[in-house]
Amino acid sequence: MTVQIAPSILSADFAALGDAIAAAERGGADLIHVDVMDGHFVPNITIGPPVVKALKRVATVPLDVHLMIEEPDRYIEAFADAGAAMLSVHVEVLPHLHRTVHAIQALGAKAGVVLNPSTPVVMLADIAADVDYVLIMSVNPGFGGQTFIPHSQSKVREVRALLDRAGNRAPVEIDGGIDQHNVAQVVEAGARIIVAGSAVFHTPDPERATRELKAAANGAAASTAR
Ligand code: DX5
Ligand code: ZN
């Protein structure tokens, strides 16, 4: 399976998101990662369904919407209607995760579940067969530009093994502090969707940064027979 690159527009110029998406797509972005924050689950506030709807009009690749919000059940329909092809929710806020995952799928979107750095992989044990992807946070969510937490690499490996035991080939996504220098190690561990914000948009040439990150990721995937 090839690696998908999902540039995160959190680090882009919010006054020119269309240009940012176009540049990332020219560089080979497979998905556009959209970070939704509510000021409660995480300290930051970002965007909501109307902006996702506007992004959907300009993006040619699927929108990967990461919900860092409390009570995501109240909003999944609005985000699906706005054009989210993938919707991920944090296990930390959902006592009825099974219901939420199936509700997302019933809306026609892929359902992902997200683990914070301090949340153990065992939290996924009874949902592993149902998910369309798992997102491992490799920083504490809320802000772009943070440093990759090294333990995340073994966590990717652990989640991949858990999904395999459940008979689920769903990809593992990783988000936070990924760049040209550490992308190989997370791909080697089994990550197949790579989110990158500052490593793409805090560079002079986001198109080129996307292309180079993708090449590095796929190079690492090719040298690990997984
Ligand atoms: C962090 C967000 C990330 C963020 C990643 O809470 O979920 O998607 O944009 O940014 P970088 O790649 O700069 O760590
Ligand atoms: Zn994210």
Side-chain angles (χ1 to χ4, degrees):
M1 184 183 183
T2 58
V3 184
Q4 293 193 299
I5 300 294
S8 165
I9 55 164
L10 183 65
S11 296
D13 176 359
F14 269 34
L17 289 176
D19 295 343
I21 289 173
E25 289 180 347
R26 285 195 305 275
D30 300 282
L31 307 164
I32 297 296
H33 186 81
V34 181
D35 288 304
V36 175
M37 306 185 186
D38 66 352
H40 291 274
F41 178 60
V42 291
N44 207 356
I45 299 179
T46 57
I47 67 178
V51 177
V52 172
K53 192 173 178 183
L55 299 177
K56 172 68 183 161
R57 286 206 311 270
V58 297
T60 62
V61 298
L63 298 180
D64 164 29
V65 177
H66 175 192
L67 298 181
M68 285 160 278
I69 62 176
E70 290 180 356
E71 300 191 68
D73 292 325
R74 291 174 57 189
Y75 300 100
I76 54 176
E77 188 169 358
F79 282 104
D81 287 350
M86 299 164 65
L87 269 173
S88 59
V89 292
H90 274 258
V91 304
E92 297 85 4
V93 297
L94 284 165
H96 310 295
L97 184 58
H98 181 273
R99 184 163 64 204
T100 304
V101 162
H102 286 276
I104 291 169
Q105 291 164 340
L107 290 164
K110 287 187 178 167
V113 295
V114 194
L115 298 181
N116 274 338
S118 64
T119 304
V121 172
V122 69
M123 294 299 285
L124 296 178
D126 289 349
I127 197 72
D130 300 71
V131 297
D132 295 309
Y133 59 106
V134 172
L135 172 49
I136 305 295
M137 286 309 301
S138 41
V139 299
N140 288 293
F143 303 95
Q146 302 181 79
T147 303
F148 178 80
I149 298 171
H151 172 64
S152 316
Q153 185 184 7
S154 59
K155 208 162 169 184
V156 168
R157 198 167 275 124
E158 226 185 303
V159 169
R160 180 69 269 154
L162 175 67
L163 289 168
D164 288 347
R165 281 198 302 278
N168 189 348
R169 290 305 298 163
V172 177
E173 177 172 25
I174 189 140
D175 183 5
I178 303 295
D179 60 24
Q180 187 72 22
H181 305 291
N182 60 17
V183 67
Q185 75 183 63
V186 293
V187 169
E188 189 275 329
R192 288 297 177 269
I193 304 175
I194 307 294
V195 178
S198 48
V200 168
F201 292 110
H202 287 180
T203 69
D205 189 345
E207 173 184 341
R208 178 177 173 177
T210 303
R211 188 176 296 116
E212 290 181 352
L213 194 62
K214 188 167 177 169
N218 279 307
S223 61
T224 44
R226 191 182 278 274

